[in-house]
Amino acid sequence: MLHYLKFEEYKDAFRFLTLRRENGILEVRMHYNDGPAKWSGYDESLHSELPELFQCVTKDPENKIMIFTGTGHEFLAEWDRTDESEVFVSPQQWHRLYKDGKELIQWFLDVEIPVIAAVNGKCFIHPELPTLCDVVIASETAVFADKAHLTDTRAVPGDGSHVWWPMLLGPNRGRSFLILGEEIPAAEAKTLGFVAEVVPQDAVLDRAWEIARTLITHDPLVLKYTRVSLTQHMKRRFLDDLGYGLALEGLGILSLAQNASGSKGWSFTLPDTRHE
Amino acid sequence: MLHYLKFEEYKDAFRFLTLRRENGILEVRMHYNDGPAKWSGYDESLHSELPELFQCVTKDPENKIMIFTGTGHEFLAEWDRTDESEVFVSPQQWHRLYKDGKELIQWFLDVEIPVIAAVNGKCFIHPELPTLCDVVIASETAVFADKAHLTDTRAVPGDGSHVWWPMLLGPNRGRSFLILGEEIPAAEAKTLGFVAEVVPQDAVLDRAWEIARTLITHDPLVLKYTRVSLTQHMKRRFLDDLGYGLALEGLGILSLAQNASGSKGWSFTLPDTRHE
Amino acid sequence: MLHYLKFEEYKDAFRFLTLRRENGILEVRMHYNDGPAKWSGYDESLHSELPELFQCVTKDPENKIMIFTGTGHEFLAEWDRTDESEVFVSPQQWHRLYKDGKELIQWFLDVEIPVIAAVNGKCFIHPELPTLCDVVIASETAVFADKAHLTDTRAVPGDGSHVWWPMLLGPNRGRSFLILGEEIPAAEAKTLGFVAEVVPQDAVLDRAWEIARTLITHDPLVLKYTRVSLTQHMKRRFLDDLGYGLALEGLGILSLAQNASGSKGWSFTLPDTRHE
Amino acid sequence: MLHYLKFEEYKDAFRFLTLRRENGILEVRMHYNDGPAKWSGYDESLHSELPELFQCVTKDPENKIMIFTGTGHEFLAEWDRTDESEVFVSPQQWHRLYKDGKELIQWFLDVEIPVIAAVNGKCFIHPELPTLCDVVIASETAVFADKAHLTDTRAVPGDGSHVWWPMLLGPNRGRSFLILGEEIPAAEAKTLGFVAEVVPQDAVLDRAWEIARTLITHDPLVLKYTRVSLTQHMKRRFLDDLGYGLALEGLGILSLAQNASGSKGWSFTLPDTRHE
Amino acid sequence: MLHYLKFEEYKDAFRFLTLRRENGILEVRMHYNDGPAKWSGYDESLHSELPELFQCVTKDPENKIMIFTGTGHEFLAEWDRTDESEVFVSPQQWHRLYKDGKELIQWFLDVEIPVIAAVNGKCFIHPELPTLCDVVIASETAVFADKAHLTDTRAVPGDGSHVWWPMLLGPNRGRSFLILGEEIPAAEAKTLGFVAEVVPQDAVLDRAWEIARTLITHDPLVLKYTRVSLTQHMKRRFLDDLGYGLALEGLGILSLAQNASGSKGWSFTLPDTRHE
Amino acid sequence: MLHYLKFEEYKDAFRFLTLRRENGILEVRMHYNDGPAKWSGYDESLHSELPELFQCVTKDPENKIMIFTGTGHEFLAEWDRTDESEVFVSPQQWHRLYKDGKELIQWFLDVEIPVIAAVNGKCFIHPELPTLCDVVIASETAVFADKAHLTDTRAVPGDGSHVWWPMLLGPNRGRSFLILGEEIPAAEAKTLGFVAEVVPQDAVLDRAWEIARTLITHDPLVLKYTRVSLTQHMKRRFLDDLGYGLALEGLGILSLAQNASGSKGWSFTLPDTRHE
């Protein structure tokens, strides 16, 4: 039999994730060379590491609560531009993103322990990641926007953002948030209800740990089943429409790439906009 | 044939509910010895009387509109602690709560006449009861919280609260409301949209009657079909996830009870916290 | 083969709709003799023209973005009372409204290009029409209410309003909005999230065009698939409950009409209330 | 508190149902003056008694398994024609059938103990009643058809038959069964899978009891949860489309009646066809 | 206002469809130069004409029942190979098929009158077309198979076949039918329940007319609402998964085409297999 | 980053599964000491290895098609009784089975390549495992039954059997199959449509390989998306009801165990029946 990994085996296995665990509370911190996290579609990237991390978390029964945070002044707001060459997009390449995209959300929701987000700053890429958490603590400096689709990469927001933001904000603000590239600061996010508490930046992680230490006194099954009960409808909504959205996003990117590259073949480059 | 009960037959049949009816408007008032209502899982309790009341309401065609209110300064915020002995919990005992829990919500939604809540004060236990009503009038003193699960009894919020609060508050505030035991006062409830109007405590019931008297001028079928149209999606959501949540809550309680009692057997006691 | 209509063929085909198109951006303006739009159930009416318009928009690939607006100081707030005679309602007559009612929503959602609403004023009849749009720009003078059902015509709000307002406002404010006939002004609509921006009345249309001109720089497939991704769940919800709501609304109207007319037969007249 | 009825209290309360119970196995036998059962929409009829019976069964925990059977050579194949006068149909009258129709199916599915059908003969009216049971034992003489809609009363098959027969027979045979009024004899029903066993007529009830006596050795919760698990999807399907179908059936009947009666008012008479 | 077309206006508008109407019964016959129908993805083709036909049928209230048939010895089994040149497939080109594919099924289901199929012979392409009809009469010579996907064009069966055949045949035979390219002759189709009756080839159309003439005696609203009731769940299933399947089919075809064409660009040709 | 396992790394990692791969076709053979497979809930068992296997299959892109088979004369019909001591069941222990049970089905359906079953003999435990495959080839000696629930272990059939058999056999035969413990031989399984082909026992595996070798000529994305299209609705149905069924099965087992053990504590033993 394959053995599920123990904490010691996976805790140092990630290049863009730092893990620590204390009495069953697992803290997962995204970073890039220990600075603010960056996103990319490269083979080695947060995009590929996060689904694996979620599976490790799920399979190791020693994890009772998870805290999810970033590094420095940003939660997730920059692209990794190590490789500035053009990416030629084919249906096969899109398939990897389609598959990763489904797993990123599905395996996150399959984590059957409470997850607390400590949003330490701007979240411009995959802002569904922190907001899918059960309790979201945000820094006063946090800002939420979806800069990975229409407004920046010019792609269809079909990777789950089309499911989640209309759930979070209602069908109308959810749509205009994605179409207009709106930025929502922490204070408004709290009023809108998708952030539970707003605290100073240096208090975000402590507050998350404080809540975790309170929750962990609960019976472990009660914690698990609370998580399961509260995510069942979210799973249904993503199952209904996530794969479809990703397939449409792929068709749109193939179209974009084909048009952009003309006779040369297909290419797709990251947006020039940097958010510092 | 069994005959559906007439008002005269059921109006005095409840120990914890006082009924009066005037021109088709039925007022249902919860109480405990005519003071503020208390909740329990005892055989004779609001928990068992309310589903029966809902069936009486539904079956008697003389009821055209229902007003649902409490007594004194609280809507529903206290436990009945008459029997302070330990409750030994078995799968059989949980089954009764599972069954009652499904009926409580299902039969409430099956009431096919408009229901107006007059929330006269704090609602800390089953706060979905008043908020499932079509129009919710709240006292300035009303406060809404779910004290029957995680934060107090330490049980999974699987009895419909996991369905309803994410519907009412969005998936994120819905989850943190349940996990953190948040209290939402009437004024904020109005801003959040789950209360229609906030009035002084002594005006709550009058305002509910005023609305009822306006509504009752409508064609009875129009009133019924308005209720049916507006609750169909709510029924679907509860059917999808209510039974499952209750089953998970039961498994969690069996675990809690087993752990608490050790070799002695299982027991489960009410939380110590009193909300006065 | 039948040929889909070109813009030149349908642009002048509507009596209550004025169309203009510029570089793929189609502006649809409702009007009544070039004044503010009026609503009716007559054979020739906005009710019958809009579904056809939506089909023309969908079928003509030259339309890339649609702007939907009204005329003068109202978006849609008045009844056309040209024919003041009583309408005798039969199941056959209701069937036409049932069919049109389903088509009005379904064909609107089937428009596979982004739709921007420029809400130039009060919207008291079918307020779902502008709010179903992907981005809603509202005049400071705009007010939203449903005056076509309970509070005015005394009919069941079963024509999609029962689906949409609980989606937009949550299940509780959605219900009380419909039952109490609440009016929501533009500023509050923005806070509630169903309006994206509020601007002075004379800037509404310009702002819509500005957004349209930004959006149209996108790849046409990206625009289409964004629209499809973001409306898929809305289609599901309307498919689930729209037909049912319309059938119940019809049964209620037949009841109303029968009661109103007594031995004379059935009749149904428009509400007296005028909203100027 | 209202008390749920004990067996002694409800066993003689029905005019068209004979009940006996032995060691937790409840046998419910439909009859008409102790001959073969007849159906009608009268106030006192099987249509009104069955939902009440189902509620009695559900609420009395002494019922562990239910057997559902008919009398003599027919299960349910005849109309009660006691009152041969024309029935004038109004929206109000249809509402009663709409309500009863929903309750008939919903309360049957809410019975949380296994139900075994002993189909003693022809089942031409509401053939979903025996087939909704968990195990269906049929006499060699049994025949299944839906004679209460299109082919005989000329009404829309919207009372659940539109949900159930396509589930039982697939979408195509389900549709043609209802549209063409097809008769399916017991042997073919077994091949098609909606009857579990076919036995001689005089062995039907004994075989049902035999199965019941085997099943009753199970843990009562196991029996209940088996029933619940196996009916959950059926409940979802009926919730989705039962009310809608009934509303459409009502609109169709109002149309039929109006057309039939011309200036005289509305009337609706039973089909002439008798199935003996 | 645009005017819905009258029969006289659209009856001669189709190149591949011959229409005749008698007392409200509309017969639609597919053909190719008046011989057996052929299928293609060309701009002028059955694929583009059928959705338009379905809309004409729906909008013209003089149509009460529709009969759908083919010409000669085949229902639909051949490809139109007029243009033997390679088709270069781009995301834009696929989009047209995606859009047509959704409309083909959706607009067929939106036809709100009963539809009877007279399947005059082999049906190897889009075999869902005749089987979506409410009553399917098949010639003894009819054979059903899906030759437009895996086994012949090598494409994903994502255009609705993935929804419909598992509904018709159960999830397993539905899958193997599509994956193995199984042929099902008429007699077995009747046993399986997706064909209602099997008759000699020259009797197919007569039998369809005979049924139509019986059905047309029903109240028109009863016919419509029967159709609506019986197709509501089918619409839900297609809405859930049709668009997604088409998007996946497109991504697969882009992959196929890219691989097939290598450096030359993309091309896609029809299968060599001819089914005569 | 954690690296997904290559075939060489996982092919020998399983105690109860033998793997071989040839040109992308992966054969997975269940066994017990290389004889017929046995089932148990032990920590090391097929129950725990299969979900892991499914994840290895999914993550390794070199797998293009999977064949799933057993050893000798049985597919899966015996319990592993190595440890004959009583199992004491607690909510915590059930939780592991609940979690494994969800993963067993979910991760199987998440395998995004075609899966062919080669059913070499009796399948009495988890008969959904082979029948969930896309193409099922069965030996003439194969027999299908669910002996792991009501009839043998006396547990609720809530582990997905309650979802799958009613999907495969229709709601009625699905229910009676589970309640009566019916055995369905291969030939009837083919007639019923849940087996695609029946061949002699020694030809089963060869036929599966033959089909695999035909399928593998397809574009890999076409194969993947065919699998995804055809399993999407199955995923929805399992997501809807699998967790709930498992929770109910757990409550039933806790009840059984408690009753069986009386004052001694809880225990649960395997059925005595052996199926040789």
Side-chain angles (χ1 to χ4, degrees), chain C residues 69-87:
Chain C
T69 194
T71 297
H73 65 294
E74 285 177 351
F75 186 80
L76 186 55
E78 288 300 315
W79 295 97
D80 177 3
R81 296 161 185 285
T82 312
D83 181 354
E84 290 276 0
S85 64
E86 281 184 315
V87 181

PDB file of all heavy atoms in Angstrom, chain C residues 69-87:
ATOM      1  N   THR C  69     -31.838  50.696 -22.732  1.00  0.00           N
ATOM      2  CA  THR C  69     -32.199  51.919 -22.017  1.00  0.00           C
ATOM      3  C   THR C  69     -33.652  52.297 -22.281  1.00  0.00           C
ATOM      4  O   THR C  69     -34.347  51.639 -23.055  1.00  0.00           O
ATOM      5  CB  THR C  69     -31.241  53.076 -22.404  1.00  0.00           C
ATOM      6  OG1 THR C  69     -31.399  54.140 -21.475  1.00  0.00           O
ATOM      7  CG2 THR C  69     -31.496  53.559 -23.820  1.00  0.00           C
ATOM      8  N   GLY C  70     -34.093  53.356 -21.591  1.00  0.00           N
ATOM      9  CA  GLY C  70     -35.452  53.860 -21.771  1.00  0.00           C
ATOM     10  C   GLY C  70     -35.423  55.285 -22.286  1.00  0.00           C
ATOM     11  O   GLY C  70     -34.379  55.773 -22.738  1.00  0.00           O
ATOM     12  N   THR C  71     -36.554  55.942 -22.204  1.00  0.00           N
ATOM     13  CA  THR C  71     -36.673  57.269 -22.790  1.00  0.00           C
ATOM     14  C   THR C  71     -37.136  58.265 -21.739  1.00  0.00           C
ATOM     15  O   THR C  71     -38.054  57.967 -20.961  1.00  0.00           O
ATOM     16  CB  THR C  71     -37.692  57.237 -23.950  1.00  0.00           C
ATOM     17  OG1 THR C  71     -37.198  56.360 -24.957  1.00  0.00           O
ATOM     18  CG2 THR C  71     -37.906  58.632 -24.542  1.00  0.00           C
ATOM     19  N   GLY C  72     -36.492  59.435 -21.712  1.00  0.00           N
ATOM     20  CA  GLY C  72     -36.948  60.505 -20.838  1.00  0.00           C
ATOM     21  C   GLY C  72     -36.661  60.211 -19.376  1.00  0.00           C
ATOM     22  O   GLY C  72     -35.623  59.669 -19.023  1.00  0.00           O
ATOM     23  N   HIS C  73     -37.635  60.536 -18.538  1.00  0.00           N
ATOM     24  CA  HIS C  73     -37.388  60.473 -17.099  1.00  0.00           C
ATOM     25  C   HIS C  73     -37.780  59.138 -16.474  1.00  0.00           C
ATOM     26  O   HIS C  73     -37.675  58.963 -15.274  1.00  0.00           O
ATOM     27  CB  HIS C  73     -38.122  61.616 -16.403  1.00  0.00           C
ATOM     28  CG  HIS C  73     -39.619  61.492 -16.510  1.00  0.00           C
ATOM     29  ND1 HIS C  73     -40.295  61.599 -17.714  1.00  0.00           N
ATOM     30  CD2 HIS C  73     -40.574  61.258 -15.570  1.00  0.00           C
ATOM     31  CE1 HIS C  73     -41.583  61.446 -17.508  1.00  0.00           C
ATOM     32  NE2 HIS C  73     -41.781  61.229 -16.230  1.00  0.00           N
ATOM     33  N   GLU C  74     -38.263  58.197 -17.295  1.00  0.00           N
ATOM     34  CA  GLU C  74     -38.653  56.895 -16.740  1.00  0.00           C
ATOM     35  C   GLU C  74     -38.055  55.769 -17.564  1.00  0.00           C
ATOM     36  O   GLU C  74     -37.994  55.855 -18.793  1.00  0.00           O
ATOM     37  CB  GLU C  74     -40.185  56.730 -16.790  1.00  0.00           C
ATOM     38  CG  GLU C  74     -40.915  57.536 -15.743  1.00  0.00           C
ATOM     39  CD  GLU C  74     -42.423  57.393 -15.894  1.00  0.00           C
ATOM     40  OE1 GLU C  74     -42.866  56.815 -16.917  1.00  0.00           O
ATOM     41  OE2 GLU C  74     -43.145  57.863 -15.011  1.00  0.00           O
ATOM     42  N   PHE C  75     -37.675  54.699 -16.885  1.00  0.00           N
ATOM     43  CA  PHE C  75     -37.223  53.520 -17.620  1.00  0.00           C
ATOM     44  C   PHE C  75     -38.453  52.713 -18.063  1.00  0.00           C
ATOM     45  O   PHE C  75     -38.669  52.484 -19.245  1.00  0.00           O
ATOM     46  CB  PHE C  75     -36.313  52.660 -16.736  1.00  0.00           C
ATOM     47  CG  PHE C  75     -35.692  51.510 -17.460  1.00  0.00           C
ATOM     48  CD1 PHE C  75     -34.562  51.688 -18.266  1.00  0.00           C
ATOM     49  CD2 PHE C  75     -36.229  50.233 -17.366  1.00  0.00           C
ATOM     50  CE1 PHE C  75     -33.990  50.615 -18.952  1.00  0.00           C
ATOM     51  CE2 PHE C  75     -35.671  49.161 -18.055  1.00  0.00           C
ATOM     52  CZ  PHE C  75     -34.551  49.355 -18.842  1.00  0.00           C
ATOM     53  N   LEU C  76     -39.270  52.359 -17.113  1.00  0.00           N
ATOM     54  CA  LEU C  76     -40.500  51.623 -17.430  1.00  0.00           C
ATOM     55  C   LEU C  76     -41.373  51.687 -16.193  1.00  0.00           C
ATOM     56  O   LEU C  76     -41.161  50.947 -15.227  1.00  0.00           O
ATOM     57  CB  LEU C  76     -40.186  50.160 -17.803  1.00  0.00           C
ATOM     58  CG  LEU C  76     -41.366  49.316 -18.293  1.00  0.00           C
ATOM     59  CD1 LEU C  76     -42.070  49.967 -19.477  1.00  0.00           C
ATOM     60  CD2 LEU C  76     -40.911  47.918 -18.652  1.00  0.00           C
ATOM     61  N   ALA C  77     -42.351  52.584 -16.227  1.00  0.00           N
ATOM     62  CA  ALA C  77     -43.127  52.805 -14.998  1.00  0.00           C
ATOM     63  C   ALA C  77     -44.608  53.019 -15.243  1.00  0.00           C
ATOM     64  O   ALA C  77     -45.380  53.152 -14.300  1.00  0.00           O
ATOM     65  CB  ALA C  77     -42.552  54.004 -14.228  1.00  0.00           C
ATOM     66  N   GLU C  78     -45.029  53.029 -16.495  1.00  0.00           N
ATOM     67  CA  GLU C  78     -46.430  53.317 -16.778  1.00  0.00           C
ATOM     68  C   GLU C  78     -47.096  52.202 -17.580  1.00  0.00           C
ATOM     69  O   GLU C  78     -46.450  51.514 -18.359  1.00  0.00           O
ATOM     70  CB  GLU C  78     -46.532  54.616 -17.599  1.00  0.00           C
ATOM     71  CG  GLU C  78     -46.233  55.853 -16.795  1.00  0.00           C
ATOM     72  CD  GLU C  78     -47.181  56.028 -15.609  1.00  0.00           C
ATOM     73  OE1 GLU C  78     -48.400  55.852 -15.790  1.00  0.00           O
ATOM     74  OE2 GLU C  78     -46.684  56.299 -14.494  1.00  0.00           O
ATOM     75  N   TRP C  79     -48.400  52.090 -17.391  1.00  0.00           N
ATOM     76  CA  TRP C  79     -49.201  51.171 -18.199  1.00  0.00           C
ATOM     77  C   TRP C  79     -49.729  51.904 -19.423  1.00  0.00           C
ATOM     78  O   TRP C  79     -50.104  53.062 -19.346  1.00  0.00           O
ATOM     79  CB  TRP C  79     -50.396  50.651 -17.385  1.00  0.00           C
ATOM     80  CG  TRP C  79     -49.991  49.812 -16.226  1.00  0.00           C
ATOM     81  CD1 TRP C  79     -49.856  50.224 -14.936  1.00  0.00           C
ATOM     82  CD2 TRP C  79     -49.660  48.429 -16.250  1.00  0.00           C
ATOM     83  NE1 TRP C  79     -49.462  49.172 -14.148  1.00  0.00           N
ATOM     84  CE2 TRP C  79     -49.340  48.051 -14.923  1.00  0.00           C
ATOM     85  CE3 TRP C  79     -49.605  47.448 -17.248  1.00  0.00           C
ATOM     86  CZ2 TRP C  79     -48.965  46.754 -14.585  1.00  0.00           C
ATOM     87  CZ3 TRP C  79     -49.245  46.162 -16.916  1.00  0.00           C
ATOM     88  CH2 TRP C  79     -48.920  45.821 -15.603  1.00  0.00           C
ATOM     89  N   ASP C  80     -49.790  51.224 -20.500  1.00  0.00           N
ATOM     90  CA  ASP C  80     -50.478  51.732 -21.686  1.00  0.00           C
ATOM     91  C   ASP C  80     -51.971  51.486 -21.476  1.00  0.00           C
ATOM     92  O   ASP C  80     -52.401  50.342 -21.319  1.00  0.00           O
ATOM     93  CB  ASP C  80     -49.970  50.968 -22.916  1.00  0.00           C
ATOM     94  CG  ASP C  80     -50.693  51.403 -24.179  1.00  0.00           C
ATOM     95  OD1 ASP C  80     -51.527  52.320 -24.114  1.00  0.00           O
ATOM     96  OD2 ASP C  80     -50.399  50.803 -25.231  1.00  0.00           O
ATOM     97  N   ARG C  81     -52.744  52.568 -21.445  1.00  0.00           N
ATOM     98  CA  ARG C  81     -54.174  52.434 -21.186  1.00  0.00           C
ATOM     99  C   ARG C  81     -54.998  52.813 -22.406  1.00  0.00           C
ATOM    100  O   ARG C  81     -56.137  53.276 -22.285  1.00  0.00           O
ATOM    101  CB  ARG C  81     -54.562  53.343 -20.016  1.00  0.00           C
ATOM    102  CG  ARG C  81     -53.911  52.961 -18.726  1.00  0.00           C
ATOM    103  CD  ARG C  81     -53.941  54.117 -17.737  1.00  0.00           C
ATOM    104  NE  ARG C  81     -53.203  53.750 -16.545  1.00  0.00           N
ATOM    105  CZ  ARG C  81     -53.683  52.913 -15.620  1.00  0.00           C
ATOM    106  NH1 ARG C  81     -54.884  52.416 -15.738  1.00  0.00           N
ATOM    107  NH2 ARG C  81     -52.939  52.598 -14.571  1.00  0.00           N
ATOM    108  N   THR C  82     -54.407  52.617 -23.554  1.00  0.00           N
ATOM    109  CA  THR C  82     -55.114  52.956 -24.771  1.00  0.00           C
ATOM    110  C   THR C  82     -56.515  52.361 -24.779  1.00  0.00           C
ATOM    111  O   THR C  82     -57.513  53.028 -25.056  1.00  0.00           O
ATOM    112  CB  THR C  82     -54.355  52.388 -25.989  1.00  0.00           C
ATOM    113  OG1 THR C  82     -52.996  52.733 -25.847  1.00  0.00           O
ATOM    114  CG2 THR C  82     -54.930  52.935 -27.282  1.00  0.00           C
ATOM    115  N   ASP C  83     -56.554  51.106 -24.456  1.00  0.00           N
ATOM    116  CA  ASP C  83     -57.819  50.392 -24.496  1.00  0.00           C
ATOM    117  C   ASP C  83     -58.293  50.235 -23.059  1.00  0.00           C
ATOM    118  O   ASP C  83     -57.836  49.366 -22.328  1.00  0.00           O
ATOM    119  CB  ASP C  83     -57.595  49.024 -25.156  1.00  0.00           C
ATOM    120  CG  ASP C  83     -58.886  48.238 -25.237  1.00  0.00           C
ATOM    121  OD1 ASP C  83     -59.904  48.701 -24.680  1.00  0.00           O
ATOM    122  OD2 ASP C  83     -58.864  47.158 -25.847  1.00  0.00           O
ATOM    123  N   GLU C  84     -59.211  51.100 -22.639  1.00  0.00           N
ATOM    124  CA  GLU C  84     -59.634  51.108 -21.244  1.00  0.00           C
ATOM    125  C   GLU C  84     -60.731  50.077 -20.962  1.00  0.00           C
ATOM    126  O   GLU C  84     -61.209  49.950 -19.848  1.00  0.00           O
ATOM    127  CB  GLU C  84     -60.104  52.511 -20.823  1.00  0.00           C
ATOM    128  CG  GLU C  84     -58.989  53.536 -20.729  1.00  0.00           C
ATOM    129  CD  GLU C  84     -58.261  53.475 -19.378  1.00  0.00           C
ATOM    130  OE1 GLU C  84     -58.626  52.640 -18.515  1.00  0.00           O
ATOM    131  OE2 GLU C  84     -57.323  54.267 -19.189  1.00  0.00           O
ATOM    132  N   SER C  85     -61.135  49.373 -21.972  1.00  0.00           N
ATOM    133  CA  SER C  85     -62.200  48.397 -21.751  1.00  0.00           C
ATOM    134  C   SER C  85     -61.690  47.248 -20.900  1.00  0.00           C
ATOM    135  O   SER C  85     -60.498  47.004 -20.794  1.00  0.00           O
ATOM    136  CB  SER C  85     -62.691  47.862 -23.095  1.00  0.00           C
ATOM    137  OG  SER C  85     -61.647  47.166 -23.719  1.00  0.00           O
ATOM    138  N   GLU C  86     -62.632  46.560 -20.298  1.00  0.00           N
ATOM    139  CA  GLU C  86     -62.287  45.419 -19.487  1.00  0.00           C
ATOM    140  C   GLU C  86     -61.660  44.328 -20.356  1.00  0.00           C
ATOM    141  O   GLU C  86     -62.066  44.110 -21.490  1.00  0.00           O
ATOM    142  CB  GLU C  86     -63.545  44.843 -18.831  1.00  0.00           C
ATOM    143  CG  GLU C  86     -64.012  45.622 -17.627  1.00  0.00           C
ATOM    144  CD  GLU C  86     -65.198  44.909 -16.993  1.00  0.00           C
ATOM    145  OE1 GLU C  86     -66.101  44.496 -17.756  1.00  0.00           O
ATOM    146  OE2 GLU C  86     -65.210  44.771 -15.770  1.00  0.00           O
ATOM    147  N   VAL C  87     -60.690  43.657 -19.789  1.00  0.00           N
ATOM    148  CA  VAL C  87     -60.141  42.486 -20.460  1.00  0.00           C
ATOM    149  C   VAL C  87     -60.777  41.251 -19.837  1.00  0.00           C
ATOM    150  O   VAL C  87     -60.701  41.068 -18.627  1.00  0.00           O
ATOM    151  CB  VAL C  87     -58.610  42.417 -20.271  1.00  0.00           C
ATOM    152  CG1 VAL C  87     -58.061  41.201 -20.997  1.00  0.00           C
ATOM    153  CG2 VAL C  87     -57.957  43.693 -20.760  1.00  0.00           C
TER     154      VAL C  87
END
